[in-house]
Amino acid sequence: MARTQRTDARMTSSLPGVGDATTSESLYRRACELLPGGVSSPVRAFRAVGGVPRFIRRGAGAYVDDVDGNRYLDLVMSWGPLILGHAHPAVVEAITAAARRGTSFGAPSPIEVELAQHVVDTFPSIELVRFVNSGTEAVMSALRLARAATGRTRIIKCEGCYHGHTDAMLAAAGSGVASLGLPDSPGVPPGGVVDTLLVPFNDLGAVERLFVEYPDTIGAVIIEPVAGNMGVIPPVPGFLEGLRAVTTAHGTLLIFDEVMTGWRVGPRGAQGAFGIEPDLTCLGKVVGGGLPAAAFGGRRELMEQLAPTGPVYQAGTLSGNPVAMAAGLATLTCLEDGMPWKAAAAWAEHACSLIEAEAKRAGRAVAVQRMGTMFTVFFTGGPVQDFRDAKATDHEAYALWFHRMLRAGVFFPPSPYEAAFTSAAHGERELDVLERALRNAFA
Ligand code: PLP
């Protein structure tokens, strides 16, 4: 694999090394007095794997340093956005320059137009795009638009797919909801999910049966086209094609939630990788380059139903924020020639082979499932194709392995239901780091 650039010589000059976590521990105790569970988002609390969450002081390239001076090879990468690595110079420079010009205007700015151009150039299914602040917002707004455009209220979603924490999507959601073992969230009124119909991922027959059972009332099918929030689960051949056909036949909109997969499973997201055009697409993570920005988009006539051109209300004080747009634009500009994505995907492929080889050597059954720059190590013998399979994997074995890897200086996601993410800053040296850490991790 090609050598990738180093963003910070000081950080990559020494190998990861892990000692104690006493400062993290005392910070965590203090954080628990001030923040629910000591965190701003649940999975960060390590509940699924136990132990003390590491408080991160800084990140550069493929590494993060915690407050105790431990260095980790990072495979969380802020849960996906950092496809160029931490603190990539072009992104930092763009953010700094934008902030100097002013952090928010509450008025359109030129950089929004530039970023929108990149989005429509990347995804042929998107003619118009609306910027929002989070993936949750993108999904919530896309669902409203779909319901308005079709005049139908029911939505089909897959068990184990996570589409943010909006009420209607907190039915059998993956990610943190699954890690915490909550079937649904208290506080979501029954009416909030009454129109949400659930099917197993990869089960086209179940989708077709719902269209028979609820004729003319299903406004949208929303899906992570490659599931990432119950671990990485690619669609079985024909599944996405079948969804496209059945939704078209019933006048229902197909929404691809590519908040995670956009620029991750392929340079043009899952829709590019599988050659399928959804009606609406939700984007997040990479599109904001590590700052809070997300988006949704689709055909002109659909998107023009949004205010101010149409009656469907959607708004945001900080939407299209110039600093976040600058981070997103710098990131997408760097991705343009395809090389960073290729490097990150090649690294992920190498990493998966190393993990498989080491597991085999140790006589441990694992299913390492990857698409592009994201992958999951499932502790199970067979392939994982839906949420039921993911739930049946050995979570205790994952937790044990996670901690061994962490102690050896490699930071995997602290939950068996999540994807590991690679970046263009992960190079040959980082493969060595991984290989060394893997020794005895499966014992
Ligand atoms: N959709 C998908 C597929 C996601 O993976 C996520 C977050 O992980 C979301 C939506 C929600 O995005 P956010 O956390 O930015 O609200």
Side-chain angles (χ1 to χ4, degrees):
M1 96 184 304
R3 286 213 170 263
T4 50
Q5 83 184 81
R6 300 280 175 268
T7 51
D8 185 330
R10 277 167 307 163
M11 284 207 66
T12 53
S13 62
S14 62
L15 289 175
V18 176
D20 64 29
T22 47
T23 315
S24 275
E25 205 166 351
S26 64
L27 264 175
Y28 185 42
R29 264 201 299 276
R30 200 174 145 215
C32 286
E33 299 295 317
L34 298 165
L35 307 162
V39 291
S40 299
S41 192
V43 186
R44 299 176 196 174
F46 275 31
R47 292 282 169 97
V49 291
V52 178
R54 301 307 192 263
F55 280 64
I56 303 301
R57 191 167 56 86
R58 66 192 298 252
Y63 296 91
V64 284
D65 279 358
D66 74 9
V67 287
D68 289 289
N70 303 311
R71 173 159 302 163
Y72 304 94
L73 170 61
D74 190 14
L75 288 169
V76 177
M77 301 311 286
S78 185
W79 303 98
L82 304 180
I83 194 160
L84 300 175
H86 289 275
H88 187 280
V91 178
V92 173
E93 203 174 296
I95 291 171
T96 314
R100 280 207 197 92
R101 292 192 295 267
T103 54
S104 183
F105 308 125
S109 68
I111 200 150
E112 258 170 285
V113 184
E114 291 306 314
L115 187 57
Q117 188 71 58
H118 270 265
V119 171
V120 303
D121 288 348
T122 304
F123 299 100
S125 69
I126 299 180
E127 289 177 325
L128 294 183
V129 59
R130 166 75 41 104
F131 288 113
V132 293
N133 303 289
S134 70
T136 296
E137 251 187 272
V139 167
M140 180 185 79
S141 309
L143 291 178
R144 180 178 303 151
L145 178 58
R147 284 171 159 155
T150 58
R152 302 174 184 177
T153 52
R154 292 200 165 104
I155 307 289
I156 296 180
K157 100 173 254 296
C158 289
E159 291 157 3
C161 282
Y162 178 68
H163 300 289
H165 61 278
T166 183
D167 281 1
M169 293 292 101
L170 280 186
S175 191
V177 188
S179 309
L180 292 174
L182 303 175
D184 281 311
S185 173
V188 174
V193 289
V194 77
D195 288 318
T196 307
L197 306 173
L198 297 168
V199 291
F201 191 77
N202 274 327
D203 188 344
L204 184 60
V207 177
E208 287 168 342
R209 283 192 291 281
L210 284 178
F211 275 101
V212 175
E213 204 175 327
Y214 300 98
D216 303 324
T217 58
I218 300 170
V221 174
I222 184 162
I223 186 145
E224 290 181 71
V226 174
N229 284 291
M230 46 184 155
V232 173
I233 304 182
V236 294
F239 180 56
L240 296 179
E241 291 80 355
L243 288 183
R244 181 62 284 179
V246 74
T247 48
T248 303
H250 289 275
T252 296
L253 299 185
L254 179 61
I255 306 176
F256 274 8
D257 179 351
E258 298 229 44
V259 166
M260 188 183 282
T261 55
W263 295 280
R264 275 270 168 209
V265 301
R268 292 174 194 277
Q271 53 197 275
F274 293 98
I276 293 169
E277 289 207 355
D279 300 294
L280 290 172
T281 300
C282 300
L283 298 167
K285 299 190 190 269
V286 172
V287 81
L291 264 64
F296 64 103
R299 286 192 303 281
R300 177 173 294 277
E301 93 270 7
L302 268 178
M303 293 298 289
E304 281 187 339
Q305 296 189 35
L306 285 176
T309 38
V312 181
Y313 196 68
Q314 194 286 326
T317 301
L318 291 175
S319 293
N321 173 268
V323 185
M325 297 289 101
L329 183 60
T331 301
L332 298 194
T333 304
C334 288
L335 287 177
E336 228 164 34
D337 70 3
M339 289 317 289
W341 184 86
K342 278 195 188 118
W347 197 92
E349 191 181 357
H350 274 78
C352 290
S353 318
L354 290 176
I355 294 166
E356 277 165 345
E358 191 54 39
K360 193 167 173 205
R361 208 189 53 74
R364 176 56 100 156
V366 294
V368 184
Q369 301 193 175
R370 177 188 75 90
M371 187 147 182
T373 65
M374 44 194 257
F375 69 92
T376 296
V377 183
F378 289 107
F379 282 75
T380 180
V384 178
Q385 294 198 329
D386 60 21
F387 196 28
R388 202 180 53 170
D389 292 347
K391 283 196 285 194
T393 62
D394 189 340
H395 295 174
E396 269 177 39
Y398 182 86
L400 196 63
W401 182 78
F402 165 85
H403 278 293
R404 284 185 179 143
M405 293 302 288
L406 192 69
R407 271 199 303 278
V410 181
F411 203 151
F412 270 90
S415 160
Y417 289 116
E418 303 286 352
F421 297 97
T422 62
S423 84
H426 290 68
E428 279 172 38
R429 181 188 171 91
E430 286 68 38
L431 283 172
D432 294 342
V433 171
L434 178 68
E435 194 167 18
R436 266 198 302 278
L438 281 167
R439 282 179 209 146
N440 303 322
F442 285 103

